[in-house]
Amino acid sequence: NAGVTQTPKFQVLKTGQSMTLQCAQDMNHNSMYWYRQDPGMGLRLIYYSASEGTTDKGEVPNGYNVSRLNKREFSLRLESAAPSQTSVYFCASSGGSRGFLTGANVLTFGAGSRLTVL
Amino acid sequence: GENVEQHPSTLSVQEGDSAVIKCTYSDSASNYFPWYKQELGKRPQLIIDIRSNVGEKKDQRIAVTLNKTAKHFSLHITETQPEDSAVYFCAASIGSYQKVTFGTGTKLQVIP
């Protein structure tokens, strides 16, 4: 049981390049999320997918796109990377089949992806 | 949308002392308040959570309190140990399968 797996762990891009961060979970969770973490800013939500087939913007969606490929996979794409997108990106999932009162809200995070845009 | 404020941003305590981290939230509809601990270079992990139908919850040395009227909640760590040193995040969300909004984090340092 791997939990949440995200790739790559490290990536260096030049301004204007594109890339996709991949995320997969094997816990049969309904909801998946992409956060970015910057010093002093905490974890800021980029996009989330409450269930398969739906995606919604979070606090900082500009410059990003997402795809919920299936129930397991949720990818984050940077179409034209900018230095302001240098950050650590975390994918997370939540929401088993047991319902709200039994811990469905608990987020399980991936190990993180450190992205540097030059 | 929801806004979560967290204080202090840094906190240093002597080993064995208590530590308190406070958070406020803006959306009165929020009903789930988790706390995550992130050790250096690691992923955030849930340490305790509380739902709006409960005012206090305790798990060994950690406890959370919730004041719905004032829209604030707090994390209390007693008898701190060096391994408690980490960044702690509070968060708030509404119901199941909804987005979770985090505070900006508190870096706790426990001095041996």
Side-chain angles (χ1 to χ4, degrees):
Chain A
N1 191 343
V4 178
T5 302
Q6 55 180 108
T7 57
K9 285 185 168 39
F10 301 94
Q11 184 73 48
V12 179
L13 293 176
K14 294 181 180 179
T15 297
Q17 288 185 317
S18 62
M19 77 158 297
T20 300
L21 296 173
Q22 306 285 357
C23 178
Q25 52 91 9
D26 61 3
M27 297 171 288
N28 199 35
H29 282 172
N30 289 304
S31 301
M32 298 186 74
Y33 311 79
W34 278 105
Y35 286 90
R36 61 177 288 174
Q37 184 173 31
D38 304 291
M41 302 292 287
L43 292 154
R44 293 184 293 169
L45 184 64
I46 304 171
Y47 271 93
Y48 70 106
S49 172
S51 61
E52 186 180 359
T54 68
T55 60
D56 286 285
K57 295 178 180 179
E59 304 167 64
V60 289
N62 291 345
Y64 305 95
N65 285 302
V66 290
S67 295
R68 183 75 183 265
L69 304 170
N70 48 55
K71 190 171 186 178
R72 292 185 64 249
E73 298 172 287
F74 188 40
S75 62
L76 178 71
R77 182 161 178 83
L78 288 69
E79 291 290 352
S80 179
S84 60
Q85 294 178 305
T86 293
S87 188
V88 178
Y89 292 85
F90 285 98
C91 177
S93 68
S94 73
S97 57
R98 298 171 298 160
F100 170 62
L101 293 178
T102 56
N105 298 60
V106 176
L107 290 174
T108 299
F109 285 88
S113 299
R114 184 174 293 276
L115 175 65
T116 301
V117 183
L118 303 176
Chain B
E2 175 66 275
N3 181 50
V4 177
E5 295 190 355
Q6 181 172 350
H7 301 280
S9 57
T10 60
L11 180 60
S12 291
V13 299
Q14 291 292 134
E15 182 177 357
D17 287 350
S18 295
V20 180
I21 302 170
K22 298 182 178 182
C23 291
T24 60
Y25 61 99
S26 61
D27 192 336
S28 57
S30 289
N31 58 3
Y32 175 67
F33 307 93
W35 287 86
Y36 287 81
K37 175 184 180 182
Q38 186 179 29
E39 296 176 351
L40 189 62
K42 302 286 183 64
R43 71 193 78 187
Q45 291 191 302
L46 180 78
I47 54 170
I48 195 167
D49 56 12
I50 190 168
R51 290 169 174 79
S52 59
N53 59 341
V54 175
E56 185 174 356
K57 182 178 179 181
K58 189 173 182 180
D59 183 4
Q60 298 183 342
R61 296 187 297 108
I62 60 173
V64 290
T65 57
L66 171 64
N67 183 326
K68 288 189 292 184
T69 302
K71 290 191 282 188
H72 67 69
F73 56 114
S74 301
L75 176 72
H76 304 252
I77 306 174
T78 59
E79 301 172 18
T80 54
Q81 301 169 4
E83 53 264 39
D84 294 329
S85 295
V87 178
Y88 292 81
F89 293 97
C90 63
S93 71
I94 303 170
S96 300
Y97 316 129
Q98 298 297 319
K99 61 180 181 179
V100 178
T101 302
F102 284 83
T104 51
T106 297
K107 184 176 182 180
L108 173 64
Q109 181 184 23
V110 179
I111 304 166

